[in-house]
Each structure stands twice: as structure tokens, then as C-alpha cells.
Amino acid sequence: MIVQRMNVNAKKGRILELIEFLKEDRKRGGYNYRLYQSNLGTFDQVSIELEFDDLAAHEKFWAEWNALPETPAFFKKWDELTKSGGTNEIWSLIE
């Protein structure tokens, strides 16, 4: 199993709007991911975690997601709410 963790920073004053946007996207998309909000550390940061059986499943998911007709609108709103930068990590489960 692998976990993809994306850490993104909301624009000033937009963290709650970003969280609500991601919650709605999660419902709409028919897929599940975990959301985390920083309590200590970087301010206005959200982490998104998705699990996949392997890298092939990860690549298939993102290819299909990027092909959805709703994806351009998602990115338009995403860009309104987030700062550029952040991190995108892939973790392998050891045990």
C-alpha cells in the first residue's frame, strides 16, 4: 500500500473555505481522502491523504481524475484558495 500526502497552504483568511471546498469535492467525487488541518506548525495548512494499493493504482486514479469534465473548475477554485507551493509526497507502508 502507498499513501499520497499533499500539504497545501491556504491564502490568508481562506482556510475554512478551503476545508469546506475539499469536503464538498470529496462527497461529489465518489472517492474518499483524509483531511488534516495543522494545529501546531505551519499556519493555514491542510494535508490531504489518499491510499492506493500500488503506484499503478495511483497513476490510474490521477489519469482518470484529470480527465473528468469537472477537473478544470476544481483547479480554478483551488487556485483561488491556495498559495503556490506545498508538497506532494508518496509513502510506502512498511508494516
Side-chain angles (χ1 to χ4, degrees):
M1 178 182 70
I2 63 168
V3 172
Q4 178 181 12
R5 180 180 300 141
M6 296 174 278
N7 299 303
V8 298
N9 295 311
K11 290 181 178 172
K12 186 172 178 73
R14 310 285 305 262
I15 186 70
L16 296 179
E17 189 178 353
L18 175 60
I19 290 168
E20 288 307 311
F21 170 68
L22 291 170
K23 285 180 179 180
E24 287 302 312
D25 175 68
R26 190 171 52 183
K27 286 184 215 172
R28 176 194 57 80
Y31 47 88
N32 194 17
Y33 50 83
R34 289 182 296 277
L35 293 172
Y36 301 92
Q37 180 180 6
S38 176
N39 291 315
L40 295 172
T42 305
F43 293 111
D44 297 324
Q45 187 173 70
V46 173
S47 290
I48 304 161
E49 281 190 352
L50 299 98
E51 289 185 6
F52 301 95
D53 290 332
D54 52 33
L55 282 173
H58 169 267
E59 290 172 7
K60 180 179 185 288
F61 170 82
W62 284 113
E64 291 173 356
W65 188 87
N66 283 313
L68 293 172
E70 301 89 359
T71 299
F74 173 91
F75 279 125
K76 184 174 190 274
K77 185 69 173 178
W78 175 268
D79 288 343
E80 290 174 17
L81 298 173
T82 63
K83 296 178 183 178
S84 81
T87 60
N88 188 15
E89 305 165 344
I90 301 285
W91 294 79
S92 297
L93 179 66
I94 295 171
E95 42 177 81

Coordinates of all heavy atoms in Angstrom, one line a residue:
M1 N 0.8 -1.2 0.0 CA 0.0 0.0 0.0 C 0.9 1.2 0.0 O 1.9 1.3 0.6 CB -0.9 0.0 1.2 CG -1.8 1.3 1.3 SD -2.8 1.5 2.7 CE -1.7 1.8 4.0
I2 N 0.4 2.3 -0.7 CA 1.1 3.5 -0.6 C 0.1 4.6 -0.2 O -1.1 4.5 -0.4 CB 1.7 3.9 -2.0 CG1 0.7 4.1 -3.1 CG2 2.8 2.9 -2.4 CD1 1.2 4.7 -4.3
V3 N 0.6 5.7 0.3 CA -0.2 6.8 0.7 C 0.4 8.1 0.0 O 1.6 8.3 0.0 CB -0.1 7.1 2.3 CG1 -0.8 8.4 2.7 CG2 -0.8 5.9 3.0
Q4 N -0.5 8.8 -0.6 CA -0.1 10.1 -1.2 C -0.5 11.2 -0.2 O -1.7 11.2 0.2 CB -0.7 10.3 -2.5 CG -0.3 11.7 -3.1 CD -1.0 11.9 -4.4 OE1 -1.9 11.2 -4.9 NE2 -0.5 13.0 -5.1
R5 N 0.4 12.0 0.2 CA 0.1 13.1 1.1 C 0.5 14.4 0.5 O 1.6 14.6 0.1 CB 0.9 13.0 2.4 CG 0.6 14.2 3.4 CD 1.3 14.1 4.7 NE 1.0 12.8 5.4 CZ 1.9 12.1 6.0 NH1 3.1 12.4 6.1 NH2 1.5 10.9 6.6
M6 N -0.5 15.3 0.3 CA -0.3 16.6 -0.3 C -0.5 17.6 0.8 O -1.6 17.6 1.5 CB -1.3 16.9 -1.4 CG -1.1 15.9 -2.6 SD -2.4 16.1 -3.9 CE -3.7 15.1 -3.1
N7 N 0.5 18.5 1.0 CA 0.4 19.6 2.0 C 0.2 20.9 1.3 O 1.1 21.2 0.5 CB 1.6 19.6 2.9 CG 1.8 18.3 3.7 OD1 0.9 17.9 4.4 ND2 2.9 17.6 3.4
V8 N -0.9 21.6 1.5 CA -1.1 22.8 0.8 C -1.4 24.0 1.8 O -1.9 23.7 2.9 CB -2.3 22.7 -0.2 CG1 -2.0 21.7 -1.2 CG2 -3.6 22.4 0.5
N9 N -1.1 25.2 1.4 CA -1.3 26.3 2.3 C -2.4 27.2 1.7 O -2.3 27.5 0.5 CB 0.0 27.1 2.4 CG 1.0 26.4 3.2 OD1 0.8 25.8 4.2 ND2 2.2 26.3 2.6
A10 N -3.4 27.5 2.5 CA -4.5 28.4 2.1 C -4.0 29.8 2.1 O -3.1 30.2 2.8 CB -5.6 28.2 3.0
K11 N -4.6 30.6 1.2 CA -4.4 32.0 1.2 C -4.9 32.6 2.5 O -5.8 32.0 3.1 CB -5.0 32.7 0.0 CG -4.3 32.3 -1.3 CD -5.0 33.0 -2.5 CE -4.2 32.6 -3.8 NZ -5.0 33.1 -5.0
K12 N -4.4 33.7 2.9 CA -4.7 34.3 4.2 C -6.2 34.5 4.3 O -6.9 35.1 3.4 CB -4.0 35.7 4.4 CG -4.2 36.3 5.7 CD -3.3 37.5 5.9 CE -3.6 38.2 7.2 NZ -3.0 37.6 8.3
G13 N -6.8 34.0 5.4 CA -8.2 34.1 5.6 C -9.1 33.2 4.9 O -10.3 33.3 5.0
R14 N -8.5 32.2 4.2 CA -9.3 31.3 3.3 C -9.3 29.9 3.8 O -9.8 29.0 3.1 CB -8.8 31.4 1.9 CG -8.7 32.7 1.2 CD -9.9 33.5 0.8 NE -10.9 32.9 -0.1 CZ -10.9 33.1 -1.4 NH1 -10.1 33.9 -2.0 NH2 -11.9 32.5 -2.1
I15 N -8.7 29.6 4.9 CA -8.5 28.2 5.3 C -9.8 27.4 5.5 O -10.0 26.3 5.1 CB -7.6 28.1 6.6 CG1 -7.3 26.6 7.0 CG2 -8.3 28.7 7.8 CD1 -6.4 25.9 6.0
L16 N -10.8 28.1 6.1 CA -12.1 27.4 6.4 C -12.8 27.2 5.0 O -13.4 26.1 4.8 CB -13.0 28.2 7.3 CG -12.4 28.3 8.8 CD1 -13.3 29.1 9.7 CD2 -12.1 26.9 9.4
E17 N -12.7 28.1 4.1 CA -13.3 28.0 2.8 C -12.6 26.8 2.1 O -13.3 26.0 1.4 CB -13.2 29.3 2.0 CG -13.9 29.3 0.8 CD -13.8 30.6 0.0 OE1 -13.3 31.6 0.6 OE2 -14.3 30.7 -1.1
L18 N -11.3 26.7 2.2 CA -10.6 25.6 1.5 C -11.0 24.3 2.1 O -11.3 23.3 1.3 CB -9.1 25.8 1.7 CG -8.2 24.6 1.2 CD1 -8.4 24.4 -0.3 CD2 -6.7 24.9 1.5
I19 N -11.2 24.2 3.4 CA -11.6 22.9 4.0 C -13.0 22.5 3.5 O -13.3 21.4 3.2 CB -11.5 23.0 5.6 CG1 -10.1 23.1 6.0 CG2 -12.3 21.9 6.2 CD1 -9.9 23.5 7.5
E20 N -13.9 23.5 3.5 CA -15.3 23.2 3.1 C -15.3 22.8 1.6 O -16.0 21.9 1.2 CB -16.2 24.4 3.3 CG -16.6 24.6 4.8 CD -17.1 23.3 5.4 OE1 -18.0 22.7 4.9 OE2 -16.6 23.0 6.5
F21 N -14.5 23.5 0.8 CA -14.4 23.1 -0.6 C -13.9 21.7 -0.8 O -14.5 20.9 -1.6 CB -13.4 24.1 -1.3 CG -13.0 23.7 -2.7 CD1 -13.9 23.7 -3.8 CD2 -11.7 23.4 -3.0 CE1 -13.5 23.4 -5.0 CE2 -11.3 23.0 -4.3 CZ -12.2 23.1 -5.3
L22 N -12.9 21.3 0.0 CA -12.4 19.9 -0.1 C -13.4 18.9 0.4 O -13.5 17.8 -0.2 CB -11.0 19.8 0.6 CG -9.9 20.6 -0.1 CD1 -8.7 20.6 0.8 CD2 -9.6 20.0 -1.4
K23 N -14.1 19.2 1.4 CA -15.2 18.3 1.9 C -16.2 18.1 0.9 O -16.7 17.0 0.6 CB -15.8 18.9 3.2 CG -15.0 18.7 4.4 CD -15.7 19.3 5.6 CE -15.0 19.3 6.9 NZ -15.8 19.9 8.0
E24 N -16.6 19.1 0.2 CA -17.7 19.0 -0.9 C -17.1 18.2 -2.0 O -17.8 17.4 -2.6 CB -18.1 20.4 -1.3 CG -19.0 21.1 -0.3 CD -20.3 20.3 0.0 OE1 -21.0 19.8 -0.9 OE2 -20.6 20.1 1.2
D25 N -15.9 18.5 -2.4 CA -15.3 17.7 -3.5 C -15.2 16.3 -3.2 O -15.5 15.4 -4.0 CB -13.9 18.3 -3.8 CG -13.2 17.4 -4.8 OD1 -13.6 17.5 -6.0 OD2 -12.2 16.7 -4.5
R26 N -14.9 15.9 -1.9 CA -14.8 14.5 -1.5 C -16.2 13.8 -1.7 O -16.2 12.7 -2.2 CB -14.3 14.5 -0.1 CG -14.0 13.1 0.4 CD -13.3 13.2 1.8 NE -14.1 13.9 2.7 CZ -13.7 14.1 4.0 NH1 -12.6 13.7 4.4 NH2 -14.5 14.8 4.8
K27 N -17.2 14.5 -1.3 CA -18.6 14.0 -1.5 C -18.9 13.8 -3.0 O -19.5 12.8 -3.4 CB -19.6 14.9 -0.8 CG -19.6 14.9 0.7 CD -20.8 15.7 1.2 CE -20.4 16.4 2.4 NZ -21.4 17.4 2.8
R28 N -18.7 14.8 -3.7 CA -19.0 14.8 -5.2 C -18.3 13.8 -5.9 O -18.8 13.2 -6.8 CB -18.8 16.2 -5.8 CG -19.0 16.3 -7.2 CD -18.5 17.6 -7.9 NE -17.0 17.7 -7.7 CZ -16.1 17.1 -8.4 NH1 -16.4 16.3 -9.3 NH2 -14.8 17.3 -8.1
G29 N -17.0 13.6 -5.6 CA -16.1 12.8 -6.4 C -16.3 11.3 -6.3 O -15.9 10.6 -7.2
G30 N -17.0 10.8 -5.3 CA -17.2 9.4 -5.1 C -16.0 8.7 -4.7 O -15.8 7.5 -4.8
Y31 N -15.0 9.4 -4.2 CA -13.8 8.9 -3.6 C -13.5 9.5 -2.3 O -14.1 10.5 -2.0 CB -12.6 9.1 -4.6 CG -12.4 10.5 -5.1 CD1 -11.7 11.5 -4.3 CD2 -13.0 10.9 -6.2 CE1 -11.6 12.8 -4.8 CE2 -13.0 12.2 -6.7 CZ -12.2 13.1 -6.0 OH -12.2 14.4 -6.4
N32 N -12.7 8.8 -1.5 CA -12.5 9.3 -0.1 C -11.1 9.6 0.1 O -10.2 9.0 -0.4 CB -12.9 8.2 0.9 CG -13.1 8.8 2.3 OD1 -13.2 10.0 2.5 ND2 -13.1 7.9 3.2
Y33 N -10.8 10.7 0.8 CA -9.5 11.0 1.2 C -9.6 11.7 2.6 O -10.6 12.2 3.0 CB -8.7 11.9 0.3 CG -9.5 13.1 -0.2 CD1 -9.5 14.3 0.5 CD2 -10.1 13.2 -1.5 CE1 -10.1 15.5 0.0 CE2 -10.7 14.3 -1.9 CZ -10.7 15.4 -1.2 OH -11.4 16.6 -1.6
R34 N -8.5 11.6 3.4 CA -8.5 12.2 4.7 C -8.0 13.6 4.6 O -7.1 13.9 3.8 CB -7.6 11.3 5.6 CG -8.2 10.0 6.0 CD -7.3 9.2 6.9 NE -6.0 8.9 6.3 CZ -5.8 7.8 5.5 NH1 -6.7 7.0 5.2 NH2 -4.6 7.6 5.0
L35 N -8.6 14.4 5.4 CA -8.2 15.8 5.5 C -7.6 16.1 6.9 O -8.2 15.7 7.9 CB -9.3 16.8 5.3 CG -9.9 16.8 3.9 CD1 -11.2 17.6 3.8 CD2 -8.9 17.4 2.9
Y36 N -6.5 16.8 7.0 CA -5.9 17.2 8.2 C -5.7 18.7 8.2 O -5.3 19.3 7.2 CB -4.6 16.6 8.5 CG -4.6 15.1 8.5 CD1 -4.4 14.3 7.3 CD2 -4.8 14.4 9.7 CE1 -4.4 12.9 7.3 CE2 -4.9 13.0 9.7 CZ -4.6 12.3 8.5 OH -4.7 10.9 8.5
Q37 N -5.9 19.4 9.4 CA -5.6 20.8 9.5 C -4.5 20.9 10.5 O -4.6 20.3 11.6 CB -6.8 21.6 9.9 CG -6.5 23.1 10.0 CD -7.8 23.9 10.4 OE1 -8.8 23.3 10.7 NE2 -7.6 25.2 10.5
S38 N -3.5 21.7 10.3 CA -2.4 22.0 11.2 C -2.9 22.7 12.5 O -3.6 23.7 12.4 CB -1.4 22.8 10.5 OG -0.3 23.1 11.4
N39 N -2.6 22.1 13.6 CA -2.8 22.8 14.9 C -1.6 23.4 15.4 O -1.7 24.5 16.1 CB -3.4 21.7 15.9 CG -4.7 21.3 15.6 OD1 -5.6 22.0 15.3 ND2 -4.9 20.0 15.6
L40 N -0.5 22.8 15.2 CA 0.8 23.3 15.6 C 1.7 23.2 14.4 O 1.6 22.2 13.6 CB 1.5 22.5 16.7 CG 0.8 22.6 18.1 CD1 1.4 21.6 19.1 CD2 0.8 24.0 18.7
G41 N 2.5 24.2 14.1 CA 3.4 24.1 12.9 C 2.9 25.2 12.0 O 2.6 26.3 12.3
T42 N 3.0 24.9 10.7 CA 2.6 25.9 9.6 C 1.2 26.3 9.8 O 0.3 25.5 9.8 CB 2.9 25.2 8.2 OG1 4.2 24.8 8.2 CG2 2.6 26.2 7.1
F43 N 1.0 27.6 9.8 CA -0.4 28.1 9.8 C -1.1 28.0 8.5 O -0.5 27.9 7.4 CB -0.4 29.6 10.2 CG 0.1 29.9 11.6 CD1 1.3 30.5 11.8 CD2 -0.7 29.5 12.7 CE1 1.8 30.8 13.0 CE2 -0.2 29.8 14.0 CZ 1.0 30.4 14.2
D44 N -2.4 27.8 8.5 CA -3.3 27.8 7.3 C -2.9 26.6 6.4 O -2.9 26.8 5.2 CB -3.3 29.1 6.6 CG -3.8 30.2 7.4 OD1 -4.8 30.0 8.2 OD2 -3.3 31.4 7.3
Q45 N -2.5 25.5 7.0 CA -2.1 24.4 6.1 C -3.1 23.2 6.3 O -3.6 23.0 7.3 CB -0.7 23.8 6.6 CG -0.1 22.8 5.6 CD 1.3 22.4 5.9 OE1 1.5 21.8 7.0 NE2 2.2 22.8 5.1
V46 N -3.3 22.6 5.1 CA -4.2 21.4 5.1 C -3.4 20.3 4.5 O -2.6 20.5 3.5 CB -5.5 21.7 4.3 CG1 -6.3 20.4 4.0 CG2 -6.3 22.8 4.9
S47 N -3.5 19.1 5.0 CA -2.9 17.9 4.4 C -4.1 17.0 3.9 O -5.1 16.9 4.5 CB -2.1 17.1 5.4 OG -0.9 17.8 5.7
I48 N -3.9 16.5 2.7 CA -4.8 15.6 2.1 C -4.1 14.2 1.9 O -3.0 14.2 1.3 CB -5.2 16.1 0.7 CG1 -5.8 17.6 0.8 CG2 -6.2 15.2 0.0 CD1 -5.8 18.3 -0.5
E49 N -4.7 13.2 2.3 CA -4.1 11.8 2.2 C -5.0 10.9 1.4 O -6.2 10.8 1.7 CB -3.8 11.2 3.6 CG -2.6 11.7 4.2 CD -2.2 10.9 5.5 OE1 -3.0 10.0 5.9 OE2 -1.1 11.2 6.0
L50 N -4.5 10.2 0.4 CA -5.1 9.2 -0.3 C -4.4 7.9 -0.2 O -3.1 8.0 -0.2 CB -5.2 9.6 -1.8 CG -6.0 10.9 -2.1 CD1 -5.0 12.1 -2.3 CD2 -6.8 10.7 -3.4
E51 N -5.1 6.8 -0.2 CA -4.4 5.5 -0.2 C -4.6 4.8 -1.5 O -5.7 4.8 -2.1 CB -5.0 4.6 1.0 CG -4.6 5.1 2.3 CD -5.1 4.2 3.4 OE1 -5.6 3.1 3.1 OE2 -4.9 4.5 4.6
F52 N -3.6 4.0 -1.9 CA -3.7 3.2 -3.1 C -3.0 1.9 -2.9 O -2.1 1.8 -2.0 CB -2.9 3.9 -4.3 CG -3.5 5.3 -4.6 CD1 -2.9 6.4 -4.0 CD2 -4.6 5.5 -5.4 CE1 -3.4 7.7 -4.3 CE2 -5.1 6.7 -5.7 CZ -4.5 7.8 -5.1
D53 N -3.4 0.9 -3.6 CA -2.8 -0.4 -3.5 C -1.3 -0.4 -3.9 O -0.4 -1.0 -3.3 CB -3.5 -1.5 -4.3 CG -4.9 -1.8 -3.7 OD1 -5.0 -1.7 -2.4 OD2 -5.8 -2.2 -4.4
D54 N -1.0 0.4 -5.0 CA 0.3 0.4 -5.5 C 0.4 1.7 -6.4 O -0.6 2.4 -6.6 CB 0.7 -0.9 -6.3 CG -0.4 -1.2 -7.4 OD1 -1.0 -0.3 -8.0 OD2 -0.5 -2.4 -7.6
L55 N 1.6 1.9 -7.0 CA 1.8 3.0 -7.9 C 1.0 3.0 -9.1 O 0.5 4.0 -9.6 CB 3.3 3.2 -8.2 CG 4.2 3.8 -7.1 CD1 5.6 3.7 -7.5 CD2 3.8 5.2 -6.8
A56 N 0.7 1.8 -9.6 CA -0.1 1.7 -10.8 C -1.5 2.2 -10.5 O -2.1 2.9 -11.4 CB -0.2 0.2 -11.3
A57 N -2.1 1.9 -9.4 CA -3.4 2.3 -9.0 C -3.4 3.8 -8.8 O -4.4 4.5 -9.2 CB -3.9 1.6 -7.7
H58 N -2.3 4.4 -8.2 CA -2.2 5.8 -8.1 C -2.2 6.5 -9.4 O -3.0 7.5 -9.6 CB -0.9 6.1 -7.3 CG -0.4 7.5 -7.3 ND1 0.4 8.0 -8.3 CD2 -0.7 8.5 -6.5 CE1 0.6 9.3 -8.0 NE2 0.0 9.6 -6.9
E59 N -1.4 6.0 -10.4 CA -1.4 6.6 -11.7 C -2.7 6.5 -12.4 O -3.1 7.5 -13.1 CB -0.2 6.0 -12.5 CG 1.1 6.3 -12.0 CD 2.3 5.6 -12.6 OE1 2.0 4.8 -13.6 OE2 3.4 5.7 -12.1
K60 N -3.4 5.4 -12.3 CA -4.7 5.2 -12.9 C -5.7 6.2 -12.4 O -6.4 6.9 -13.1 CB -5.1 3.8 -12.7 CG -6.5 3.5 -13.4 CD -6.8 2.0 -13.1 CE -8.1 1.6 -13.8 NZ -9.3 2.1 -13.2
F61 N -5.7 6.3 -11.0 CA -6.7 7.2 -10.4 C -6.5 8.7 -10.9 O -7.4 9.3 -11.3 CB -6.5 7.2 -8.9 CG -7.3 8.3 -8.2 CD1 -8.6 8.2 -7.9 CD2 -6.6 9.5 -7.8 CE1 -9.3 9.2 -7.3 CE2 -7.3 10.5 -7.2 CZ -8.7 10.3 -6.9
W62 N -5.2 9.1 -10.9 CA -5.0 10.5 -11.3 C -5.2 10.8 -12.8 O -5.7 11.8 -13.2 CB -3.6 11.0 -10.9 CG -3.6 11.3 -9.4 CD1 -2.9 10.6 -8.4 CD2 -4.3 12.3 -8.7 NE1 -3.2 11.1 -7.2 CE2 -4.1 12.2 -7.3 CE3 -5.2 13.3 -9.1 CZ2 -4.6 13.0 -6.4 CZ3 -5.8 14.1 -8.2 CH2 -5.5 14.0 -6.8
A63 N -4.9 9.8 -13.6 CA -5.2 9.9 -15.1 C -6.7 10.0 -15.3 O -7.2 10.9 -16.0 CB -4.7 8.7 -15.8
E64 N -7.5 9.2 -14.6 CA -9.0 9.3 -14.7 C -9.5 10.6 -14.1 O -10.4 11.2 -14.7 CB -9.6 8.1 -14.0 CG -9.4 6.8 -14.7 CD -9.8 5.6 -14.0 OE1 -10.3 5.7 -12.8 OE2 -9.7 4.4 -14.5
W65 N -9.0 11.0 -12.9 CA -9.4 12.2 -12.3 C -9.1 13.4 -13.2 O -10.0 14.3 -13.3 CB -8.8 12.4 -10.9 CG -9.3 13.5 -10.1 CD1 -10.4 13.4 -9.3 CD2 -8.9 14.8 -10.1 NE1 -10.7 14.7 -8.7 CE2 -9.7 15.6 -9.2 CE3 -7.8 15.5 -10.6 CZ2 -9.5 16.9 -8.9 CZ3 -7.6 16.9 -10.4 CH2 -8.5 17.5 -9.5
N66 N -8.0 13.5 -13.7 CA -7.6 14.6 -14.6 C -8.4 14.7 -15.9 O -8.6 15.7 -16.5 CB -6.1 14.6 -15.0 CG -5.3 15.1 -13.8 OD1 -5.5 16.1 -13.2 ND2 -4.2 14.3 -13.5
A67 N -9.0 13.5 -16.3 CA -9.9 13.5 -17.5 C -11.3 13.9 -17.2 O -12.1 14.0 -18.1 CB -9.8 12.1 -18.1
L68 N -11.7 14.0 -15.9 CA -13.1 14.4 -15.6 C -13.4 15.8 -16.1 O -12.6 16.7 -16.1 CB -13.3 14.3 -14.1 CG -13.2 13.0 -13.4 CD1 -13.3 13.1 -11.9 CD2 -14.4 12.1 -13.9
P69 N -14.7 16.0 -16.6 CA -15.0 17.3 -17.1 C -15.1 18.4 -15.9 O -14.9 19.6 -16.2 CB -16.4 17.1 -17.6 CG -16.9 15.8 -17.2 CD -15.7 15.0 -16.8
E70 N -15.2 17.9 -14.7 CA -15.2 18.9 -13.5 C -13.8 19.3 -13.1 O -13.7 20.3 -12.3 CB -15.9 18.2 -12.3 CG -17.3 17.8 -12.6 CD -17.4 16.3 -13.1 OE1 -16.3 15.7 -13.3 OE2 -18.5 15.9 -13.3
T71 N -12.8 18.7 -13.6 CA -11.4 19.0 -13.1 C -11.0 20.4 -13.3 O -10.4 21.1 -12.4 CB -10.4 18.0 -13.6 OG1 -10.8 16.7 -13.2 CG2 -9.0 18.2 -13.2
P72 N -11.2 21.0 -14.5 CA -10.8 22.4 -14.7 C -11.4 23.4 -13.7 O -10.8 24.3 -13.2 CB -11.2 22.7 -16.2 CG -11.2 21.4 -16.8 CD -11.7 20.4 -15.8
A73 N -12.7 23.2 -13.4 CA -13.4 24.0 -12.5 C -12.8 23.8 -11.1 O -12.7 24.8 -10.3 CB -14.9 23.8 -12.5
F74 N -12.5 22.6 -10.7 CA -11.8 22.3 -9.4 C -10.6 23.1 -9.3 O -10.3 23.8 -8.3 CB -11.5 20.8 -9.3 CG -10.7 20.5 -8.0 CD1 -11.4 20.2 -6.9 CD2 -9.4 20.6 -8.1 CE1 -10.7 19.9 -5.7 CE2 -8.6 20.3 -6.9 CZ -9.3 20.0 -5.7
F75 N -9.7 23.1 -10.3 CA -8.4 23.8 -10.3 C -8.6 25.3 -10.3 O -7.8 26.0 -9.6 CB -7.5 23.3 -11.4 CG -6.8 22.1 -11.1 CD1 -6.9 21.0 -12.0 CD2 -6.0 21.9 -10.0 CE1 -6.2 19.8 -11.8 CE2 -5.4 20.7 -9.7 CZ -5.5 19.7 -10.6
K76 N -9.6 25.8 -10.9 CA -9.9 27.2 -10.9 C -10.1 27.7 -9.4 O -9.6 28.6 -8.9 CB -11.0 27.6 -11.8 CG -11.3 29.1 -11.9 CD -12.4 29.4 -12.9 CE -12.5 30.8 -13.2 NZ -13.4 31.6 -12.3
K77 N -11.0 26.9 -8.7 CA -11.3 27.2 -7.3 C -10.1 27.0 -6.5 O -9.8 27.8 -5.5 CB -12.5 26.4 -6.9 CG -13.0 26.8 -5.5 CD -13.6 28.1 -5.4 CE -14.3 28.4 -4.1 NZ -14.8 29.7 -4.0
W78 N -9.4 25.9 -6.7 CA -8.2 25.5 -5.9 C -7.2 26.7 -6.0 O -6.7 27.1 -5.0 CB -7.6 24.3 -6.6 CG -6.3 23.8 -6.0 CD1 -5.1 24.2 -6.5 CD2 -6.1 22.9 -4.9 NE1 -4.1 23.5 -5.8 CE2 -4.7 22.8 -4.8 CE3 -6.9 22.3 -4.0 CZ2 -4.1 22.0 -3.8 CZ3 -6.3 21.5 -3.1 CH2 -5.0 21.3 -3.0
D79 N -7.0 27.3 -7.2 CA -6.1 28.4 -7.3 C -6.5 29.6 -6.6 O -5.7 30.4 -6.1 CB -5.8 28.7 -8.8 CG -5.0 27.6 -9.5 OD1 -4.3 26.8 -8.8 OD2 -5.0 27.6 -10.8
E80 N -7.8 29.8 -6.5 CA -8.4 31.0 -5.7 C -8.1 30.8 -4.2 O -8.0 31.8 -3.5 CB -9.9 31.1 -5.9 CG -10.3 31.5 -7.3 CD -11.8 31.4 -7.5 OE1 -12.6 31.4 -6.5 OE2 -12.3 31.4 -8.6
L81 N -8.0 29.6 -3.7 CA -8.0 29.4 -2.3 C -6.6 29.1 -1.8 O -6.3 29.2 -0.6 CB -8.9 28.2 -1.9 CG -10.4 28.4 -2.2 CD1 -11.1 27.1 -1.9 CD2 -10.9 29.5 -1.3
T82 N -5.7 28.6 -2.6 CA -4.4 28.2 -2.2 C -3.2 29.0 -2.7 O -3.3 29.7 -3.7 CB -4.1 26.7 -2.6 OG1 -4.0 26.6 -4.0 CG2 -5.1 25.8 -2.0
K83 N -2.1 29.0 -1.9 CA -0.9 29.7 -2.3 C -0.2 28.7 -3.2 O -0.3 27.5 -3.0 CB 0.0 30.0 -1.1 CG -0.6 30.9 -0.1 CD 0.4 31.1 1.1 CE -0.2 32.0 2.1 NZ 0.8 32.1 3.3
S84 N 0.7 29.2 -4.0 CA 1.5 28.2 -4.8 C 2.5 27.6 -3.9 O 2.9 28.1 -2.8 CB 2.2 28.9 -6.0 OG 3.4 29.6 -5.6
G85 N 3.0 26.4 -4.2 CA 3.9 25.7 -3.4 C 3.2 24.5 -2.7 O 2.2 24.0 -3.2
G86 N 3.8 24.1 -1.6 CA 3.3 23.0 -0.8 C 4.2 21.8 -1.2 O 5.2 21.9 -1.8
T87 N 3.7 20.6 -0.7 CA 4.5 19.4 -1.0 C 3.5 18.3 -1.5 O 2.3 18.3 -1.2 CB 5.2 18.9 0.2 OG1 4.3 18.6 1.3 CG2 6.2 19.9 0.7
N88 N 4.1 17.3 -2.2 CA 3.3 16.2 -2.7 C 4.3 15.0 -2.4 O 5.3 14.9 -3.0 CB 3.0 16.3 -4.2 CG 2.1 15.2 -4.6 OD1 1.5 14.5 -3.9 ND2 2.0 15.1 -6.0
E89 N 3.9 14.1 -1.5 CA 4.7 13.0 -1.1 C 4.0 11.7 -1.3 O 2.8 11.6 -1.3 CB 5.0 13.1 0.5 CG 5.5 14.4 0.9 CD 5.4 14.7 2.4 OE1 4.7 14.0 3.1 OE2 6.2 15.6 2.9
I90 N 4.8 10.7 -1.6 CA 4.3 9.3 -1.8 C 5.1 8.5 -0.7 O 6.3 8.5 -0.7 CB 4.6 8.7 -3.2 CG1 4.0 9.5 -4.3 CG2 4.2 7.2 -3.2 CD1 2.5 9.4 -4.4
W91 N 4.3 7.8 0.1 CA 4.9 7.0 1.2 C 4.5 5.5 1.0 O 3.3 5.2 0.6 CB 4.3 7.4 2.6 CG 4.7 8.8 3.0 CD1 4.2 10.0 2.5 CD2 5.7 9.1 3.9 NE1 4.8 11.0 3.1 CE2 5.8 10.5 4.0 CE3 6.6 8.4 4.7 CZ2 6.7 11.2 4.8 CZ3 7.5 9.0 5.5 CH2 7.5 10.4 5.5
S92 N 5.4 4.6 1.2 CA 5.1 3.2 1.1 C 5.0 2.6 2.6 O 5.8 3.0 3.4 CB 6.3 2.4 0.5 OG 6.4 2.8 -0.9
L93 N 3.9 1.9 2.8 CA 3.7 1.2 4.1 C 4.7 0.1 4.3 O 4.8 -0.8 3.4 CB 2.3 0.7 4.2 CG 1.9 0.0 5.5 CD1 1.9 1.0 6.6 CD2 0.5 -0.6 5.4
I94 N 5.4 0.2 5.4 CA 6.4 -0.9 5.7 C 5.7 -2.0 6.5 O 5.9 -3.2 6.2 CB 7.6 -0.3 6.4 CG1 8.3 0.7 5.5 CG2 8.5 -1.4 6.9 CD1 9.4 1.5 6.2
E95 N 5.0 -1.7 7.5 CA 4.3 -2.7 8.3 C 3.1 -2.0 9.0 O 3.0 -0.9 9.1 CB 5.2 -3.4 9.3 CG 6.2 -2.7 10.0 CD 7.0 -3.5 11.0 OE1 7.9 -4.2 10.6 OE2 6.6 -3.5 12.2

